[in-house]
Amino acid sequence: MQTHLTINGTQRRLDLDPRTTLLDALRHHLGLTGSKKGCDHGQCGACTVMVNGRRINACLTLACMHDGDEVTTIEGIGQPDDLSPLQQAFVSEDGFQCGYCTPGQICSATAMLQEISDGWPSHVTSDLAGEAELTSDEISERMSGNLCRCSAYPNIVQAIHKAAGKNA
Amino acid sequence: MTVSKPLPHDAAPLHVTGAARYVDDIPTPANCLHLAFGLSEIAAGRITSLDLDPVRAAPGVVAVYAASDLPGPCDCSPSNHDEPLLSDGSIHYLGQPVFLVAATSHLAARQAARLAKISYDAAPAILTIEAALAADSRFEEGPRVWTKGDVAAEMATAPHRLSGSIEIGGQEHFYLEGQASLALPQENGDIVVHSSTQHPTEIQHKVAEALNLPMHAVRCEIRRMGGGFGGKESQGNALAIATSVVAHATGRPAKMRYDRDDDMTITGKRHDFRIDYEVGHDADGRLLAVDFTQFTRCGWAMDLSLPVADRAMLHAENAYLIPAVRITSHRLRTNTQSATAYRGFGGPQGMLGMERVMDHLARSLGRDPVEIRRLNYYRPAEAVAPVASNASSTTSLDGVDPSDQDLTSRGATPERTAGSARRFGGAHSPKSRMGAENTTPYGMEVTDFLLHEMTDALLVSSDYAHRVNKVAEWNAANSILKRGIAFSPVKFGISFTLTHLNQAGALVHVYQDGSVHLNHGGTEMGQGLFQKVAQVAASRFGIDPAQVRITATDTGKVPNTSATAASSGSDLNGMAAQAACDTIRGRMADCLAGLYQARPDQVLFEAGMVRMPGHEMTFAEAAATVYAQRVSLSATGFYKTPGLDWDRIAGRGRPFFYFAYGAAVTEVVIDTLTGENRILRADLLHDAGSSLNPALDIGQIEGGYVQGAGWLTTEELVWDGKGRLRTHAPSTYKIPACSDRPDVFNVALWDAPNRAETVYRSKAVGEPPFMLGISAFLALSHAASACGPHYPDLVAPATAENILAAVNRARG
Ligand code: FES
Ligand code: FES
């Protein structure tokens, strides 16, 4: 089945079995192995990418459902010699150990910061009408879909704080 | 100097851009076959018929193997030759690999693996500790017993007695990167294996053995793992062997990656335990005698269970000086996954038994638990206590056929010659020959005990006394929510208890442009080992760590390595790398001294320069100059830990080079209606010696604590009555998430150089902080005991259900 995707700004045409997940399409058909497979069940967040700016577990969605969509993966967020502010903050704050969850954490956090600035409330937001503040509680709640077995959580939260401060 | 700097991981920019490659990210070679196992559906019995024709007929399938199609047993065991790659007809656990499918895609292989028609003759499965005891199903002939002092006499005369029992659940590693292996056939029948392993030499050894090749025909390479935690010490063997067998047979590359459910169903986990205790003490809470019985559920194969159970015994007293101790350890064989290494290697379970005793004792006396702990601590280290380093290893391997022994595995069993006549020798053990009594139950003098000072410091920094009162006030004022606060200490022994594993090698090249290539036997799994070793190398040459490139661990570069385990990675490999660098530096100094009329000891390597009286040049110029003088700029380095002397059968000697210490205070709140709970605050103080890299070490400490607290709270493994693991995915097995970390989390390093001569006087930091998580469990116990007059006997893990049960027991 033919699917057209814009991946990190580049038009790609894929001819796939319709049952192919977006994650497998990225990893196996496009060679973009930055998105990781931690569980393949939508439970760990290692495969998080952004589709039309919103974060999504790429293992839980089929590639053919995204015909015409814009997909941003970790490779599209920055390169080793051209890091995004969030990527820089993950480096300077040591936001990882083994690094396997890191691409998912960064994609997730990138979209999450946008959600906050768009005023989306979360489960822990006290004032649903007002602006969500970027507290550690908010970050933890909104990032709780991204597991880190090394438990680099304190530094992940710190890195997100740091990057958000820079953006602001 | 570049050691002791908080530099980020060597590959940080790669990690944050997704460019860091793990085994599954290596571009799949053309023509690659993908493998999957077909698994047993019952826990015990025999296969009566195995029809694989439907599997062979499935689309994409290239080959299907049953045990009889393999070149031999293809044993996967690191210890006992009791783990054939595929079932030989007998079934030992639900999830045991029965056949192997090779197909053109991962999905095709997995789908085909479901199509076999297997009939079984099921036998009753032994699933629990109680069932194993009833059937006397065990490893070794009987329990191991180690004794110090006259336990029966001390117990009989003790003014007070206390007894109890604690059940301790296992733990799934949940390394975020699942097990994976890629085997590439080479000319002449050789094999290269990329394996996500903590133990490349083991992979090389087991693959060579399976294919009946010499070890030089197999090379194993691993750049990094996405987490290991012990789960990749032996559990990768099956995938490496399977891919190598298929690659060898078909001449095509072969790759295998366990899907998460398969990974959890097939591979071993932390051992679950039951620990029974009987304690004799005086009215103040001073311990006079303790009798522990440890029951260890080992699963179906021996794997590393013997040294794991040994280490549980070695930490059974944790930080306390006990005049008379007996530790009895039952290693039980059950029809479950073969339990394996997991961060702490049995130490956490043994230690939790002791901390349960302290908690129980303090509650029964109505005293502050910290006071009771301090009363029983080992004596403090003297101002400067020399570290014994003259004793030599007595563990002998004479008489053991080397071809039969996996010498590089912790599962090796040298006791066959090391005094098996003294199997129950605890009672005959010699009295401590050392002076004032400050010895462990296994007769090792504790000379570096730091916990008195560390406890003082932590109680102040965590505001303990004040908060204990606040918790009491809160509990008096609140009937539904109850708070608890607890302190717990850690004393963890560093070294492999199989003495000969305490060795390491390194290979260093300096190129003519001054860049440095470094290789060592350790593997990187997120602990920052590569960065630490690079910092050591950089400081030997006085250059920037960026000039040092660390490459994938490779059995073709550094041979006969030990697993990266027992927290030993930087201790061993850092020293080996240092030795290699010093050899090269010495040659450079000799050469330059000759050229510039200086003495070799006047040649200094610092700040990127090489200086001697009257001359200085960049390190790169020095390298080029020395090269032009035809001097070798390549060297190997080797290190072995001094002073170890251990007899595991008698339970006597000096198994550890030194101890690492830590202490934690955790405060929690529980909901007594639902059992729900949260960690409100954790204060950790941990001893990393003179830290090689404080940033990496603090990360290890935080991560260790959270993983330890996870083990004792939300991480519950559930097997049903048929032996099927019901918690085989993150949907049912709950590891800590970002929102589960403590609301307030203070972590500090205890900054004091290691008394033992380790690399830059640092201490190992991989495993010890894991056990700081015990304080979270004790805080929950404290909160439950605030609900009533009885001891709550909290079961681990303290899930909401177990907390509710404990609350009810406290109420009586
Ligand atoms: S791999 Fe997609 S959520 Fe785990
Ligand atoms: S850094 Fe290892 S899983 Fe997050």
Side-chain angles (χ1 to χ4, degrees):
Chain A
M1 180 171 173
Q2 295 257 330
T3 304
H4 294 84
L5 295 171
T6 305
I7 312 263
N8 301 329
T10 310
Q11 287 266 2
R12 306 294 294 258
R13 203 189 68 204
L14 289 168
D15 196 4
L16 296 171
D17 182 316
R19 293 166 297 183
T20 309
T21 63
L22 179 58
L23 179 60
D24 284 346
L26 292 170
R27 288 185 58 85
H28 299 160
H29 299 274
L30 295 166
L32 294 170
T33 52
S35 311
K36 304 300 180 198
K37 189 180 278 189
C39 67
D40 218 9
H41 285 179
Q43 292 153 357
C44 74
C47 63
T48 309
V49 300
M50 290 183 282
V51 174
N52 300 332
R54 288 184 55 180
R55 50 185 170 160
I56 183 170
N57 286 334
C59 70
L60 264 198
T61 188
L62 300 176
C64 64
M65 292 160 62
H66 295 286
D67 196 42
D69 284 351
E70 271 188 43
V71 179
T72 307
T73 67
I74 186 71
E75 290 91 347
I77 290 181
Q79 287 297 313
D81 50 5
D82 179 25
L83 300 179
S84 79
L86 194 62
Q87 287 170 324
Q88 274 167 16
F90 266 72
V91 173
S92 67
E93 302 309 300
D94 248 319
F96 59 88
Q97 288 176 27
C98 78
Y100 207 73
C101 69
T102 312
Q105 301 279 3
I106 290 175
C107 283
S108 186
T110 302
M112 183 273 290
L113 290 175
Q114 190 60 44
E115 288 161 19
I116 291 209
S117 68
D118 290 350
W120 296 13
S122 83
H123 178 66
V124 298
T125 311
S126 46
D127 177 6
L128 293 185
E131 274 192 12
E133 245 185 279
L134 192 69
T135 60
S136 292
D137 267 359
E138 281 284 357
I139 294 177
S140 299
E141 169 63 21
R142 291 168 189 260
M143 292 299 292
S144 59
N146 287 83
L147 297 178
C148 175
R149 186 45 154 171
C150 304
S151 292
Y153 297 126
N155 293 358
I156 291 172
V157 172
Q158 214 172 302
I160 294 172
H161 268 303
K162 183 167 177 178
K166 250 191 212 159
N167 284 343
Chain B
M1 202 165 91
T2 46
V3 288
S4 308
K5 286 227 178 94
L7 299 167
H9 275 79
D10 57 303
L14 302 183
H15 281 300
V16 299
T17 53
R21 260 191 204 164
Y22 301 81
V23 169
D24 193 30
D25 302 335
I26 298 171
T28 310
N31 219 15
C32 186
L33 292 172
H34 298 260
L35 312 188
F37 284 127
L39 307 179
S40 154
E41 284 289 315
I42 63 164
R46 291 202 61 79
I47 298 172
T48 51
S49 75
L50 176 61
D51 177 6
L52 296 176
D53 287 344
V55 185
R56 289 197 181 89
V61 171
V62 174
V64 182
Y65 304 79
S68 55
D69 305 316
L70 299 175
C74 295
D75 176 63
C76 303
S77 168
S79 57
N80 203 26
H81 284 259
D82 59 352
E83 287 184 57
L85 178 67
L86 300 174
S87 163
D88 57 6
S90 51
I91 296 293
H92 301 281
Y93 76 102
L94 200 155
Q96 183 179 351
V98 171
F99 63 95
L100 175 66
V101 187
T104 50
S105 77
H106 179 70
L107 199 62
R110 294 197 70 229
Q111 283 172 335
R114 302 277 155 104
L115 302 176
K117 298 208 171 68
I118 313 178
S119 344
Y120 306 92
D121 183 8
I126 295 170
L127 301 174
T128 60
I129 285 170
E130 290 68 29
L133 280 173
D136 198 34
S137 171
R138 61 172 71 239
F139 294 100
E140 301 189 303
E141 312 72 13
R144 285 260 162 266
V145 185
W146 298 347
T147 312
K148 169 190 174 187
D150 189 341
V151 176
E154 292 285 347
M155 200 71 85
T157 54
H160 299 276
R161 299 274 279 272
L162 178 80
S163 63
S165 176
I166 178 169
E167 278 172 40
I168 305 170
Q171 186 176 26
E172 162 65 32
H173 302 85
F174 211 93
Y175 25 66
L176 207 60
E177 176 214 22
Q179 305 276 353
S181 171
L182 170 65
L184 307 171
Q186 309 292 305
E187 65 174 29
N188 205 15
D190 291 5
I191 293 278
V192 171
V193 196
H194 295 270
S195 167
S196 182
T197 179
Q198 292 171 240
H199 198 348
T201 290
E202 171 105 313
I203 296 286
Q204 177 196 24
H205 168 81
K206 297 305 292 187
V207 166
E209 184 189 84
L211 295 175
N212 205 13
L213 294 171
M215 283 172 78
H216 70 211
V218 179
R219 192 164 70 74
C220 176
E221 191 181 315
I222 170 68
R223 174 59 184 86
R224 63 172 63 82
M225 282 162 275
F229 314 116
K232 293 174 179 170
E233 184 166 340
S234 64
Q235 302 299 299
N237 294 1
L239 300 90
I241 293 170
T243 49
S244 299
V245 165
V246 172
H248 205 253
T250 61
R252 293 170 67 169
K255 177 170 173 173
M256 186 169 207
R257 187 175 67 66
Y258 287 162
D259 180 79
R260 180 62 62 183
D261 298 78
D262 288 350
D263 200 317
M264 293 182 74
T265 303
I266 297 170
T267 64
K269 306 163 199 325
R270 183 185 292 285
H271 291 70
D272 31 16
F273 272 61
R274 191 183 93 209
I275 300 178
D276 296 349
Y277 51 89
E278 167 119 39
V279 181
H281 62 93
D282 68 12
D284 294 332
R286 211 169 272 113
L287 297 169
L288 302 173
V290 181
D291 192 355
F292 281 115
T293 310
Q294 301 180 339
F295 304 92
T296 307
R297 200 174 67 139
C298 301
W300 72 283
M302 186 187 275
D303 190 73
L304 303 171
S305 291
L306 303 190
V308 166
D310 286 356
R311 197 172 263 274
M313 298 172 81
L314 286 165
H315 290 82
E317 98 292 8
N318 193 15
Y320 311 107
L321 178 59
I322 312 173
V325 194
R326 175 164 56 212
I327 308 153
T328 306
S329 166
H330 297 264
R331 294 91 195 264
L332 301 168
R333 185 200 293 256
T334 51
N335 295 116
T336 47
Q337 291 80 357
S338 183
T340 191
Y342 195 137
R343 204 174 193 175
F345 208 65
Q349 295 95 318
M351 203 177 281
L352 180 58
M354 186 70 234
E355 290 306 320
R356 165 57 149 258
V357 165
M358 298 316 272
D359 189 58
H360 197 170
L361 182 57
R363 299 281 168 242
S364 78
L365 293 172
R367 298 267 300 278
D368 182 80
V370 179
E371 225 178 279
I372 299 289
R373 286 185 167 86
R374 300 178 68 139
L375 190 63
N376 287 290
Y377 271 168
Y378 282 104
R379 270 188 258 285
E382 314 223 329
V384 181
V387 173
S389 61
N390 47 357
S392 64
S393 165
T394 58
T395 308
S396 157
L397 291 165
D398 295 348
V400 178
D401 176 3
S403 66
D404 202 36
Q405 274 285 332
D406 191 350
L407 292 176
T408 51
S409 164
R410 286 201 268 185
T413 48
E415 77 265 21
R416 275 191 252 169
T417 56
S420 51
R422 287 179 290 151
R423 209 173 62 248
F424 300 106
H428 310 291
S429 304
K431 287 251 176 329
S432 167
R433 289 147 298 179
M434 309 281 193
E437 142 82 341
N438 202 33
T439 56
T440 63
Y442 44 92
M444 177 171 162
E445 185 81 1
V446 178
T447 56
D448 59 3
F449 196 75
L450 296 175
L451 280 167
H452 293 275
E453 308 93 289
M454 290 178 71
T455 305
D456 287 341
L458 181 66
L459 293 188
V460 171
S461 68
S462 66
D463 196 17
Y464 177 78
H466 178 230
R467 284 167 59 209
V468 167
N469 291 334
K470 298 278 277 189
V471 165
E473 281 167 29
W474 165 280
N475 287 341
N478 290 276
S479 57
I480 306 294
L481 299 183
K482 295 288 182 188
R483 291 192 174 194
I485 184 168
F487 164 90
S488 72
V490 170
K491 163 179 142 290
F492 193 76
I494 303 298
S495 287
F496 287 102
T497 56
L498 186 53
T499 302
H500 78 258
L501 297 182
N502 295 289
Q503 58 169 308
L507 175 66
V508 175
H509 307 317
V510 174
Y511 294 100
Q512 10 172 342
D513 65 352
S515 64
V516 176
H517 175 113
L518 166 62
N519 211 273
H520 57 77
T523 56
E524 177 65 53
M525 53 192 134
Q527 80 281 44
L529 173 63
F530 281 21
Q531 180 63 28
K532 282 184 170 181
V533 178
Q535 284 176 237
V536 169
S539 49
R540 299 321 276 182
F541 290 126
I543 56 177
D544 191 273
Q547 268 175 272
V548 181
R549 173 60 51 87
I550 320 155
T551 55
T553 313
D554 185 335
T555 56
K557 290 187 177 166
V558 178
N560 305 322
T561 58
S562 298
T564 307
S567 307
S568 63
S570 46
D571 280 7
L572 296 176
N573 296 292
M575 283 300 236
Q578 179 170 314
C581 293
D582 288 357
T583 300
I584 296 174
R585 200 174 65 168
R587 288 187 202 138
M588 292 176 78
D590 284 346
C591 173
L592 294 170
L595 285 178
Y596 296 103
Q597 288 83 44
R599 291 196 319 271
D601 64 346
Q602 293 174 313
V603 181
L604 302 177
F605 295 77
E606 56 192 16
M609 302 299 289
V610 181
R611 298 195 172 97
M612 63 219 90
H615 278 283
E616 68 169 31
M617 59 185 80
T618 63
F619 183 75
E621 285 164 351
T625 306
V626 171
Y627 161 72
Q629 294 296 312
R630 299 192 294 173
V631 171
S632 165
L633 288 171
S634 171
T636 59
F638 183 78
Y639 174 74
K640 58 180 177 179
T641 312
L644 303 177
D645 171 11
W646 174 237
D647 179 348
R648 67 167 285 263
I649 307 302
R652 287 276 125 184
R654 182 191 176 87
F656 302 124
F657 190 29
Y658 61 89
F659 293 103
Y661 297 92
V665 171
T666 299
E667 184 174 344
V668 299
V669 61
I670 64 171
D671 180 331
T672 56
L673 297 178
T674 63
E676 284 172 290
N677 55 87
R678 61 168 302 104
I679 298 178
L680 299 172
R681 173 169 168 181
D683 293 78
L684 316 182
L685 180 57
H686 195 81
D687 157 37
S690 298
S691 171
L692 286 178
N693 185 321
L696 293 179
D697 283 350
I698 285 182
Q700 285 291 303
I701 294 163
E702 289 170 344
Y705 172 88
V706 173
Q707 207 177 74
W711 166 50
L712 295 172
T713 55
T714 59
E715 297 189 32
E716 185 180 35
L717 291 162
V718 179
W719 285 264
D720 67 16
K722 297 207 155 62
R724 182 183 300 275
L725 180 67
R726 285 300 183 182
T727 47
H728 52 72
S731 51
T732 43
Y733 184 79
K734 290 294 177 195
I735 68 168
C738 194
S739 45
D740 295 321
R741 78 185 203 297
D743 297 344
V744 180
F745 203 3
N746 300 316
V747 182
L749 294 176
W750 180 258
D751 193 12
N754 193 347
R755 285 159 181 260
E757 279 182 50
T758 50
V759 63
Y760 290 94
R761 300 279 176 176
S762 61
K763 284 195 181 183
V765 78
E767 295 173 293
F770 180 89
M771 285 148 274
L772 298 173
I774 290 174
S775 60
F777 180 79
L778 296 173
L780 291 166
S781 170
H782 180 211
S785 63
C787 298
H790 305 283
Y791 188 66
D793 267 328
L794 185 60
V795 168
T799 57
E801 293 89 328
N802 286 337
I803 288 174
L804 272 189
V807 166
N808 288 333
R809 277 192 291 273
R811 288 181 177 143

